[in-house]
Structures are given as C-alpha cells and as structure tokens.
Amino acid sequence: MVNEDVPAKPLIIWLGTNTCAGDMLSLLNAKDPGYQELISSIAELRFDYLLGASEGSDAINVLDDLQKNHKAAYILVVEGSIPTRSNGLYSVIGYRNGKAWTALQAVRELGAEARYVVAAGTCAAFGGIYAAAPNPSKCVSLQAVLDRKVINVPGCPINPEWMMGTLNHLIQYGEPALDDYSRPKLFYGETIHNLCQRRDYFDNSIFAAKPGEPWCMYKIGCKGPVTYADCPVRQWNGEHLSWPVKANTPCIGCASPEFPDGDVPFFEHLPDIKLPGIKVTANRVGLLTGVVTALGIGAHLMGSILTGRLAETLKKDLPGGSKLKIRPRLKKGHK
Ligand code: SF4
C-alpha cells in the first residue's frame, strides 16, 4: 500500500529572490540529465518561482505545506541575493497571512526546515551583482542570513552541469566535498588558468592586445589565474561548445566571491604592487617562466583578489613566501 504522505522522490524548492533569472534559464540548457528528467524522474520540483504554474496564494500554500509537513525532506535552492534593508522589503516573495512575506523571511523560515540549502549563482552564493557598490538595498549572500550550512554553486550564471551535478550528488550520495567557500570541489577545485587551452600562450608570453584576438587574455584583464571553476573543460551552451576565452574575451571571474566589485575594470590590469624584496609588475608577466610566472600571478593577486586559500597557494610559489603575511580579503563564511 502506498503512503501518499511520503513523497517517492526528493523534493526541491527553487526560490527566486533578487535575481535576473539567469540561473534557472541556464539550467534549462542542461543535458543528460536535463530539466525534464530533473522534474520527472530524479526529483519532484514542488516550487519553481519562474516556471511553476501556480501563483498567488496557491503558490505560497505549496511552500507552507513543504515547510510544515515535509521537514528535512526537501532541498531549498535559492537563486538571487537577499536584500536586508528595511527588513527585507526590497524583495517580497508573496503574501502570507495578509502580510508581505519577504525573501529574507522566506529563506530563513524555509531554510530552517530544509535537508540541504543550495545557493544557485554568484548572487545567492556571495552577493554578486545586487550587492555591488553602492548596494542600495543592502543585499547579502544567502549564507550571511542563515545560521546553517549553505552549499554554494556560484557563476553568473551557473553552468547547468554544476547545478545538476550538485543536486544529483546530494540526492544520491549526500553532500559533496566542499572548498573553503563551500563550493563543490568537483566543479570548483582548480583555477581556470590551470585548465585553460591558452596556457601555453601565457607561458610563452604570447598575449592578446585586445578582445577578439586568439592569444592569452592575461594582459587585457583575464581573471582566470584567480578564478576557481572548470569552464575551460566543461564549457557551455548545452553541447559543451564554448566559454569566454574560447570566444576571445577575458574571464571576468564571475564565480569568485569578489565578483563583481573586486574584478573591475574587467578589461584592464589591476594595479601592480610591490612584493617584499621583489620588483615585478603584472605587465612583465610571461617574459620569464617558472617561478617568475608565479610571481606575476602573485602580483596580480595581491593587487586585486586575495582569498585565504589562494593566498596559501600563492605563498607556496613565492621565494620566502611562507614568511609573507597575507590578510584574506573575505572571511571564511563571507558573512
Ligand atoms: S590568463 Fe586567461 S587566457 Fe591566459 S592562460 Fe590564464 S586563463 Fe587562459
């Protein structure tokens, strides 16, 4: 006899907060498995803010039911950053008991009862575009407003396979191995630079002078050396067709915690800096190889984007590096 109260498949809520909807739209490009398989055989997508058929009180009732009757049985996926100004009134999910139900309230209440919480896209994971200066609605990451673990799947937008892979891992095997920023190492375990098809050009000082040229994009602002994601090998457009550098434009670091404020100007070198006892500028990177190459990346790093893990990696490559004191720009948990 089938107990109709017990769902046969894992339940998923996909909630939209302050978002352009790009992550859900990107997910629709997933193949093998695709969106159709996700909602028909892998899981039960009970609430989808963008594609769901219900609206108004019907939609809110679905969320009510999940929160009250399916505790620890659903995965909450949140797409978008969370506005905190004016008690969150800059993003209202709907009306509950006659009152505006803000995204801030919704993610806290639904998040408290979820089995897993997943941040879809850089806005949810790290604040992203909506949290960029001057940040008038005081947007923050999902993690910043929740007192529990959030699995971050950043990207602007997400690669559909990053999200499909993460959801399938959660459903079949549980939590995947995560890095210091709570990103699945499966997809964010290596720098774009180390996977890039143009790495030989970098090592041999063959640089593009402007977008559109088929050489290494480092001198026109490529953030591949400091961005962790597998874009060069996974690629995009459903059939693994292309990615920014393959399309002759620099990586802008959209999967990084610092994006976008820490990555601008996108098409310019970030300021050169002086390392203790070493004179090196970013423009000289690639003139020499080996450790000096690493130094060039170090200069780029120290002048622009520093994270705890990157700093540790950098220190290993620098002469006397272990003595360098590098203060991480973002704290673990990025609250
Ligand atoms: S700097 Fe950018 S384009 Fe050049 S090798 Fe690294 S990731 Fe590729």
Side-chain angles (χ1 to χ4, degrees):
M1 187 173 142
V2 176
N3 182 348
E4 292 184 354
D5 290 337
V6 180
K9 287 178 283 194
L11 305 174
I12 296 177
I13 298 173
W14 190 296
L15 200 67
T17 57
N18 270 23
T19 176
C20 67
D23 300 301
M24 175 50 77
L25 292 175
S26 184
L27 188 77
L28 296 177
N29 281 313
K31 299 213 165 161
D32 199 20
Y35 181 81
Q36 181 70 28
E37 285 163 284
L38 176 71
I39 63 174
S40 60
S41 57
I42 296 170
E44 203 178 311
L45 191 53
R46 282 274 177 101
F47 183 93
D48 180 335
Y49 82 100
L50 191 65
L51 304 176
S54 62
E55 57 184 38
S57 57
D58 288 344
I60 297 299
N61 289 343
V62 172
L63 296 174
D64 274 343
D65 175 60
L66 286 162
Q67 186 193 345
K68 288 180 190 143
N69 302 320
H70 298 284
K71 293 181 194 295
Y74 61 85
I75 299 171
L76 174 65
V77 182
V78 176
E79 174 181 349
S81 57
I82 316 297
T84 59
R85 189 173 187 176
S86 304
N87 295 319
L89 275 171
Y90 285 75
S91 178
V92 172
I93 298 295
Y95 285 82
R96 216 182 194 192
N97 305 321
K99 289 189 185 158
W101 195 29
T102 65
L104 180 61
Q105 291 171 309
V107 298
R108 282 181 169 159
E109 291 169 26
L110 296 168
E113 307 299 347
R115 183 172 181 80
Y116 299 108
V117 178
V118 179
T122 299
C123 291
F126 304 126
I129 296 282
Y130 290 89
N135 193 2
S137 56
K138 297 201 184 314
C139 277
V140 297
S141 69
L142 182 60
Q143 180 70 81
V145 298
L146 294 190
D147 193 19
R148 61 165 296 164
K149 178 180 277 186
V150 172
I151 296 164
N152 288 324
V153 184
C156 191
I158 49 167
N159 185 300
E161 292 183 4
W162 297 340
M163 180 52 70
M164 280 296 184
T166 301
L167 289 175
N168 275 287
H169 201 291
L170 290 173
I171 291 167
Q172 295 188 44
Y173 309 112
E175 188 180 294
L178 304 173
D179 70 5
D180 287 349
Y181 287 100
S182 208
R183 298 174 290 200
K185 289 182 180 175
L186 272 169
F187 309 114
Y188 304 91
E190 187 53 86
T191 61
I192 283 176
H193 189 62
N194 283 347
L195 299 172
C196 183
Q197 293 86 351
R198 299 191 186 182
R199 179 58 188 267
D200 278 354
Y201 294 137
F202 176 89
D203 291 340
N204 288 287
S205 313
I206 302 171
F207 296 110
K210 59 180 186 302
E213 294 184 348
W215 321 117
C216 171
M217 298 278 157
Y218 184 76
K219 284 193 173 179
I220 52 173
C222 186
K223 308 301 184 295
V226 294
T227 302
Y228 281 76
D230 64 6
C231 300
V233 290
R234 189 165 303 281
Q235 306 199 41
W236 296 70
N237 308 104
E239 303 284 359
H240 313 110
L241 289 177
S242 190
W243 68 289
V245 168
K246 191 170 176 181
N248 294 324
T249 185
C251 162
I252 59 172
C254 77
S256 291
E258 293 85 358
F259 181 81
D261 286 350
D263 291 342
V264 290
F266 290 138
F267 288 75
E268 281 179 26
H269 262 311
L270 293 156
D272 295 330
I273 54 97
K274 287 184 183 137
L275 298 176
I278 303 160
K279 198 168 179 188
V280 63
T281 65
N283 280 334
R284 294 181 60 207
V285 169
L287 292 175
L288 303 169
T289 56
V291 73
V292 179
T293 294
L295 279 172
I297 295 173
H300 186 79
L301 273 169
M302 293 185 70
S304 55
I305 303 164
L306 282 175
T307 67
R309 191 176 71 164
L310 288 176
E312 288 310 310
T313 306
L314 169 62
K315 276 161 64 175
K316 274 192 284 173
D317 290 337
L318 292 172
S322 60
K323 295 186 196 116
L324 288 174
K325 289 206 163 101
I326 298 173
R327 183 166 56 86
R329 184 174 167 183
L330 291 175
K331 287 185 184 154
K332 202 170 169 181
H334 50 273
K335 288 193 177 183

